[in-house]
Amino acid sequence: MAPSMRDLQLTKVNGAGADDMEDVRLLDSYEDGSRDNLVGIEEGMKRIQVRVTGMTCAACSTSVEGALMAVNGVVKASVALLQNKADVVFDPNSVNDEDIKNAIEDAGFEAEILTEPCSSGSKPHKLQLGQFTIGGMTCAACVNSVEGILRNLPGVKRAVVALATALGEVEYDPAVISKDDIINAIEDAGFEGSFVQSSEQDKIVLGVTGVFYELDVQFLEGILVNLKGVRQFRFDRTSGELEVLFDPEVVSSRSLVDGIEGGSNRKFKLHVMNPYARMTTRDVEEASNMFRQFTSSLFLSIPVFLIRVVCPQIPLLDALLLWRCGPFLMGDWLKWALVSVVQFVIGKRFYIAAGRALRNGSTNMDVLVALGTSASYFYSVGALLYGAVTGFWSPTYFETSAMLITFVLLGKYLECLAKGKTSDAIKKLVELAPATAVLVVKDKGGRCIGEREIDALLIQPGDILKVLPGTKLPADGVVVWGTSYVNESMVTGESVPVSKEINSLVIGGTINLHGALHIQATKVGSDAVLSQIISLVETAQMSKAPIQKFADFVASIFVPTVIAMALLTLLGWYIGGVVGAYPEQWLPENSNYFVFSLMFSISVVVIACPCALGLATPTAVMVATGVGANNGVLIKGGDALERGQKIKYVVFDKTGTLTQGKATVTTAKVFVRMDRGEFLTLVASAEASSEHPLGKAIVEYARHFHFFDDPSLTQNAANHKTESTVSGWLHDASNFSALPGRGVQCFIDGKRVLVGNRKLMTESGITIPPHVENFVVELEESAETGILVAYDDNLIGVLGVADPLKREAVVVVEGLVKMGVRPVMVTGDNWRTARAVAKEVGIQDVRAEVMPAGKADVIRSFQKDGSVVAMVGDGINDSPALAAADVGMAIGAGTDIAIEAADYVLMRSNLEDVITAIDISRKTFHRIRLNYVFAMAYNVIAIPVAAGVFFPSLGILLPPWAAGACMALSSVSVVCSSLLLRRYKKPRLTTILEITVE
């Protein structure tokens, strides 16, 4: 038979070399050629990418594109706002890279030429974010040690380690260091390391069943070698996991699975390994292992305790234990044997952990446990040997060592259980995702030819999926057939089922209640809403609050300080006894001053607990982020929580935040001889390319005017531009540009059309007649926005647009005032409309006619006195202000870039969650302070008691085994204190507003 092959790693022969998996860049020449063909680069042209900094909205990207196209020699320019990149194709004989950079900078933005031009060369190695489990950490000192080791590795840009989750996130350059190198560094430091997941898109981990023999392994090898697009793979027979590196442009993950299963004639069954499920399994295994160690230690320690305490009271057993067998009594032999197993077999984990800590130049709780138990054990062994040689028998303390290890293991086991409870939020979110999905199979003509069940993690964008009543939606997508109601409460927090029909958007993980649906998947994998929520919660739990620095500092000096105190305790009691400072009657029977002093010293070592300090903050942050997620508030970390509890000002954007963001046209008045329908068609044609809510409202109003809400034209308002073009009722608009804080401008039939506010008209040289001005003023004083329309440089009409307040806006503003927080409203709207809205909602402080970039300046004006300022917004134009604020709160229905810039995401788009976010922050940090007070008070009180400070006056003596029990329970009590946050209830507005409901 062939030799055993536990791990098999292969490289496809016709691929590149057998480099490490992170170092492989797939089919460079193929990708480059494909990209060039896509953009249509002509021979002799050059293509570069430029990073553009400072863009905040669509108008900025339009401005950059215009500046680039104005450069002589530029053939094509496209700007991606969200990626902050510009893609430029140009003639290198007419213009160079520096000219392009200067053109962007002259337009008012910062530019940086990216090092790798897309038209040639190989792709650069992008930084990857890898997640690793780190076993063996016991306190903040361990965390500091691991972080320091990881950050010093070449190629590692950032490393964060969380004690509560036993996870590390490492951002690294795969061209310099691989994930295996990182794991080796963790293990070389004496900890257990394993890889969880990374940001790679061309790697998949599969669970394989059906592999039993070496022939099966070779069969699997043959299938993989012959599959196109497979670059490397590694199969672990022990775990049954197959890791495959593939070219996503040649083969998809689903095609890969189908190819393996089909090539084996269905002998092998594959499923995608969910990284979160794998982590949960490891947590369960760790808790089970700790329980086994605890029960084993308890089983061996109980006889030792009985021999010392109970057996002397039973004559027969006492006589048996006093029977001399060789140089020692039978009881001594039994205790020595049992405790040796506890000390060096079960307790070896403490020696290993202490050794690696000392090897790395740090100290932790394991050092204290190893030191205390070793002192007790080796003293007892020495006392036995000394008695056998001299005949002077001193008391032994084997039971101290055994009971101490047992209690410490009990504490560790309880910690595992408690920390498992703190990560319940992620587990619950992971459980929301369905395991399988029903794929509707269609032929090339689009006709349905059957259905098949697939792994939900293999869904691809564009797949048509069948969702039966009572089942979970397998992916984010859009309904293409059927009607139903969907329960979205697990994602949005809203308990009322939401009606879904054709073109309705759906969220993966929600539950289809009634009718069958066919949905087209749009967002899968890490782009899906549920995955993003899990990622946000996980990132938050990985983060450290600034207050954690205090614990890290204390941890760095804690153990050396305790050891020094233990030595002083030993010397103090010993010297005091020698010089007669206390009576000899205090000594136990057959004891001496050294043994008496040693017991105090050991108690000091084992009662000190750095773990409680290290767990005070991360456990509370973990629970708080989970509680926030359950209440519709995603919190992006401990630093956000710390700032959130200090908020003094909350700045609200008006449109879409205080208001519903569903503006409606209330008035359309024409001041020239133009048909009302033609007027609305003209305005809608100009606004068709706008992303502003007011622009969308105008287009919908015009469509309703012409077609009276014909369902065929209004089912998908989000895609109104496409529908409008198809229907043919809009004019062709050219040279469209959005002017932030002013409006839009375009050309129709060669004549300029302006739609916007007074500033736009004034800057464009358009005169506003007095009767038009009076009409606009009336609109503004009614909390409506007046939109002026000019055609061919003449003002032709006005539209009145109203955006109703959210129903909860008024009580939320009043609630914030009651909480001692000052609300502020900022808007780009005019002062009259802004004041009318602010009066309606109850806000005293208003900033109006503020450009998008100016919102950040408003934030800074409130920060001048050191106040903590929160910003609540929803749009791309709010992202600079969200980033500038101390605490950014993004409405969940807002744009991705706004959510990225925020510290809190309000998933339900409900303003009441602003109060919830602040309340969670305050209660969390109240709990953290209590944890620190308890942890510090415990050590401040316990160490003097263990050192015997109160023994002379009160007779309080704490044996080492009792000190160990106190130490074990102290860290558990801190974790349990944090778990009390799970009982958090959202504040009731009636309570905050002191309203009595009868």
Side-chain angles (χ1 to χ4, degrees):
M1 181 177 287
S4 175
M5 299 170 64
R6 176 185 170 186
D7 291 314
L8 177 66
Q9 181 175 345
L10 301 172
T11 302
K12 187 165 171 60
V13 177
N14 58 359
D19 298 333
D20 188 83
M21 298 177 75
E22 274 77 1
D23 296 334
V24 178
R25 301 307 306 178
L26 307 176
L27 299 179
D28 293 329
S29 59
Y30 173 84
E31 290 181 344
D32 294 338
S34 300
R35 286 195 300 265
D36 289 355
N37 292 335
L38 287 172
V39 297
I41 297 180
E42 299 177 2
E43 187 174 354
M45 296 292 113
K46 183 179 179 182
R47 180 181 177 211
I48 63 170
Q49 284 191 347
V50 188
R51 188 183 306 281
V52 184
T53 307
M55 297 189 296
T56 59
C57 62
C60 299
S61 60
T62 302
S63 176
V64 173
E65 282 186 2
L68 290 170
M69 292 304 296
V71 177
N72 184 34
V74 172
V75 176
K76 181 180 177 65
S78 61
V79 178
L81 174 64
L82 297 183
Q83 284 76 27
N84 291 315
K85 286 184 181 179
D87 197 285
V88 188
V89 180
F90 60 95
D91 183 357
N93 296 321
S94 303
V95 65
N96 57 34
D97 298 7
E98 197 63 25
D99 295 330
I100 292 172
K101 179 182 176 183
N102 292 336
I104 296 173
E105 292 177 343
D106 290 343
F109 301 91
E110 298 178 10
E112 175 191 354
I113 305 294
L114 297 181
T115 56
E116 178 252 6
C118 294
S119 57
S120 62
S122 61
K123 290 174 67 177
H125 290 280
K126 297 179 181 178
L127 291 180
Q128 289 180 1
L129 184 64
Q131 196 173 73
F132 302 83
T133 58
I134 304 172
M137 296 188 298
T138 57
C139 61
C142 299
V143 173
N144 295 338
S145 176
V146 176
E147 282 186 345
I149 291 167
L150 292 175
R151 288 170 180 168
N152 290 329
L153 292 176
V156 171
K157 306 300 180 184
R158 182 178 65 88
V160 179
V161 176
L163 173 63
T165 58
L167 287 175
E169 275 190 357
V170 183
E171 189 175 17
Y172 64 98
D173 185 351
V176 179
I177 189 172
S178 71
K179 73 177 191 322
D180 290 331
D181 294 331
I182 295 173
I183 293 173
N184 290 336
I186 295 172
E187 292 178 343
D188 288 344
F191 299 91
E192 300 170 6
S194 63
F195 175 73
V196 178
Q197 61 180 337
S198 75
S199 57
E200 291 175 294
Q201 300 299 313
D202 54 359
K203 182 182 293 184
I204 188 171
V205 180
L206 303 167
V208 185
T209 56
V211 177
F212 304 107
Y213 309 106
E214 290 301 329
L215 288 177
D216 295 332
V217 176
Q218 295 171 15
F219 187 24
L220 178 62
E221 170 189 350
I223 295 171
L224 285 164
V225 167
N226 291 314
L227 278 178
K228 291 183 178 179
V230 173
R231 191 59 182 274
Q232 280 189 331
F233 67 86
R234 177 182 298 140
F235 179 66
D236 187 338
R237 286 192 61 184
T238 303
S239 63
E241 291 185 2
L242 173 64
E243 186 177 292
V244 184
L245 181 70
F246 62 96
D247 183 353
E249 294 192 13
V250 176
V251 62
S252 66
S253 56
R254 190 163 73 219
S255 299
L256 183 66
V257 171
D258 290 343
I260 297 173
E261 290 185 343
S264 67
N265 292 321
R266 306 297 169 182
K267 173 180 174 58
F268 301 140
K269 298 294 183 182
L270 281 74
H271 63 277
V272 182
M273 300 295 292
N274 189 315
Y276 299 105
R278 294 161 68 199
M279 288 167 53
T280 302
T281 302
R282 289 192 182 100
D283 292 340
V284 172
E285 290 176 353
E286 181 185 3
S288 300
N289 180 52
M290 198 61 66
F291 181 73
R292 284 195 301 270
Q293 291 190 31
F294 162 67
T295 53
S296 300
S297 180
L298 181 64
F299 178 77
L300 294 172
S301 299
I302 288 177
V304 177
F305 185 77
L306 294 176
I307 291 172
R308 176 65 181 265
V309 178
V310 178
C311 290
Q313 312 302 322
I314 304 174
L316 180 61
L317 293 178
D318 187 43
L320 179 63
L321 295 174
L322 292 176
W323 176 51
R324 183 168 296 279
C325 182
F328 309 122
L329 302 178
M330 179 59 70
D332 293 330
W333 280 115
L334 288 174
K335 287 190 291 185
W336 191 358
L338 291 171
V339 174
S340 295
V341 176
V342 175
Q343 183 77 24
F344 300 110
V345 178
I346 299 173
K348 70 177 181 179
R349 65 188 310 275
F350 298 110
Y351 284 105
I352 293 172
R356 68 191 173 209
L358 295 173
R359 192 164 60 248
N360 293 320
S362 63
T363 51
N364 58 18
M365 190 205 72
D366 294 302
V367 173
L368 295 180
V369 174
L371 188 61
T373 57
S374 297
S376 176
Y377 176 84
F378 286 111
Y379 163 76
S380 300
V381 172
L384 283 180
L385 297 176
Y386 182 77
V389 173
T390 65
F392 179 79
W393 299 94
S394 298
T396 59
Y397 295 93
F398 283 117
E399 69 281 353
T400 294
S401 175
M403 296 304 293
L404 175 57
I405 290 177
T406 302
F407 280 120
V408 172
L409 289 173
L410 172 61
K412 289 295 178 186
Y413 171 63
L414 294 176
E415 274 184 40
C416 288
L417 293 181
K419 285 193 282 188
K421 293 290 185 183
T422 63
S423 59
D424 277 352
I426 288 182
K427 294 176 185 175
K428 290 179 180 178
L429 289 170
V430 172
E431 290 170 358
L432 291 178
T436 60
V438 178
L439 176 68
V440 178
V441 183
K442 295 188 175 184
D443 60 15
K444 294 182 179 179
R447 292 173 298 180
C448 180
I449 58 175
E451 298 172 358
R452 57 172 291 205
E453 188 175 79
I454 62 170
D455 193 313
L457 295 174
L458 295 176
I459 296 172
Q460 300 169 359
D463 283 348
I464 303 298
L465 307 167
K466 183 178 181 179
V467 187
L468 297 175
T471 61
K472 295 178 180 178
L473 280 85
D476 295 359
V478 60
V479 177
V480 295
W481 178 86
T483 60
S484 182
Y485 282 86
V486 174
N487 180 359
E488 297 183 342
S489 61
M490 61 286 295
V491 176
T492 65
E494 294 288 353
S495 59
V496 179
V498 181
S499 174
K500 300 295 180 182
E501 55 188 16
I502 294 177
N503 293 324
S504 296
L505 299 178
V506 292
I507 302 173
T510 56
I511 300 176
N512 180 27
L513 296 178
H514 300 300
L517 295 174
H518 284 189
I519 68 168
Q520 183 176 32
T522 55
K523 293 183 178 180
V524 299
S526 60
D527 294 329
V529 170
L530 187 58
S531 295
Q532 291 179 346
I533 293 173
I534 293 173
S535 178
L536 285 173
V537 174
E538 191 176 51
T539 301
Q541 294 183 347
M542 287 290 300
S543 68
K544 290 186 178 182
I547 196 173
Q548 180 68 23
K549 295 178 182 178
F550 167 74
D552 292 342
F553 170 73
V554 173
S556 65
I557 63 172
F558 186 87
V559 175
T561 302
V562 169
I563 294 174
M565 294 174 66
L567 290 174
L568 290 175
T569 299
L570 175 65
L571 292 174
W573 278 103
Y574 180 72
I575 294 173
V578 171
V579 300
Y582 56 86
E584 190 174 343
Q585 289 77 12
W586 285 6
L587 301 180
E589 184 180 356
N590 295 329
S591 185
N592 55 51
Y593 291 119
F594 176 77
V595 175
F596 185 60
S597 304
L598 182 63
M599 290 302 103
F600 284 115
S601 179
I602 293 174
S603 294
V604 170
V605 169
V606 299
I607 202 170
C609 185
C611 296
L613 285 169
L615 293 170
T617 296
T619 53
V621 170
M622 282 187 68
V623 177
T625 51
V627 166
N630 291 336
N631 285 278
V633 178
L634 296 184
I635 306 166
K636 291 191 178 179
D639 52 346
L641 280 167
E642 183 159 353
R643 295 193 301 270
Q645 49 105 23
K646 300 176 182 176
I647 292 174
K648 185 176 181 181
Y649 295 94
V650 173
V651 179
F652 290 97
D653 176 53
K654 179 178 77 70
T655 305
T657 303
L658 286 173
T659 65
Q660 295 178 11
K662 299 177 181 177
T664 56
V665 177
T666 59
T667 306
K669 191 172 183 63
V670 185
F671 293 99
V672 296
R673 291 189 176 183
M674 177 183 285
D675 179 76
R676 182 184 176 88
E678 176 58 26
F679 169 73
L680 291 176
T681 301
L682 187 73
V683 180
S685 301
E687 290 284 4
S689 298
S690 173
E691 292 297 322
H692 197 282
L694 299 184
K696 294 180 179 179
I698 291 171
V699 174
E700 289 308 307
Y701 181 79
R703 178 186 287 118
H704 173 75
F705 179 86
H706 285 292
F707 302 102
F708 301 101
D709 280 336
D710 184 344
S712 65
L713 293 170
T714 59
Q715 281 180 336
N716 191 358
N719 296 326
H720 61 76
K721 179 182 176 183
T722 303
E723 292 177 1
S724 301
T725 304
V726 172
S727 64
W729 66 281
L730 292 179
H731 301 306
D732 291 331
S734 60
N735 297 330
F736 171 87
S737 60
L739 307 172
R742 295 171 177 82
V744 300
Q745 133 181 318
C746 67
F747 287 85
I748 296 177
D749 296 333
K751 297 179 180 179
R752 184 171 65 162
V753 179
L754 300 172
V755 183
N757 56 20
R758 293 184 185 84
K759 186 179 293 185
L760 176 62
M761 300 299 156
T762 303
E763 291 177 354
S764 303
I766 308 297
T767 302
I768 304 175
H771 65 284
V772 176
E773 175 65 25
N774 293 335
F775 181 76
V776 174
V777 169
E778 290 178 10
L779 292 174
E780 292 170 346
E781 290 177 345
S782 302
E784 296 182 22
T785 301
I787 306 295
L788 298 113
V789 182
Y791 177 61
D792 196 18
D793 294 337
N794 293 308
L795 198 147
I796 62 172
V798 174
L799 294 165
V801 181
D803 187 2
L805 286 174
K806 291 181 177 177
R807 57 184 175 84
E808 73 275 9
V810 175
V811 291
V812 167
V813 167
E814 187 177 352
L816 287 171
V817 173
K818 290 283 187 180
M819 294 173 70
V821 179
R822 183 176 169 185
V824 181
M825 189 185 81
V826 61
T827 178
D829 217 333
N830 63 82
W831 276 100
R832 287 191 186 90
T833 302
R835 289 194 183 100
V837 173
K839 183 178 180 181
E840 188 177 351
V841 78
I843 293 179
Q844 304 295 323
D845 204 335
V846 184
R847 301 290 190 274
E849 298 181 1
V850 179
M851 299 285 285
K855 293 181 182 180
D857 295 330
V858 172
I859 298 293
R860 296 185 189 100
S861 68
F862 289 108
Q863 293 171 328
K864 288 181 179 178
D865 62 351
S867 298
V868 176
V869 182
M871 170 71 191
V872 186
D874 68 330
I876 290 177
N877 61 340
D878 296 326
S879 56
L882 289 168
D886 299 291
V887 179
M889 297 184 183
I891 298 296
T895 60
D896 291 341
I897 194 168
I899 292 173
E900 183 68 25
D903 300 294
Y904 292 76
V905 180
L906 313 182
M907 289 299 298
R908 301 187 309 158
S909 300
N910 190 318
L911 291 178
E912 293 179 18
D913 290 338
V914 174
I915 290 178
T916 302
I918 296 174
D919 190 60
I920 288 176
S921 299
R922 291 180 176 180
K923 283 185 168 58
T924 300
F925 265 79
H926 174 69
R927 181 61 54 185
I928 289 174
R929 292 187 186 98
L930 285 179
N931 287 350
Y932 275 122
V933 168
F934 177 80
M936 292 298 295
Y938 164 80
N939 284 290
V940 168
I941 295 172
I943 291 176
V945 171
V949 172
F950 302 106
F951 180 69
S953 58
L954 303 176
I956 298 176
L957 178 66
L958 198 64
W961 66 266
C966 293
M967 183 272 289
L969 295 175
S970 65
S971 58
V972 175
S973 61
V974 167
V975 177
C976 292
S977 171
S978 295
L979 286 175
L980 291 176
L981 285 170
R982 298 177 70 196
R983 302 169 59 187
Y984 173 84
K985 300 294 183 184
K986 294 176 61 173
R988 297 171 61 92
L989 285 173
T990 52
T991 304
I992 295 175
L993 301 178
E994 299 175 358
I995 298 173
T996 302
V997 180
E998 298 182 358

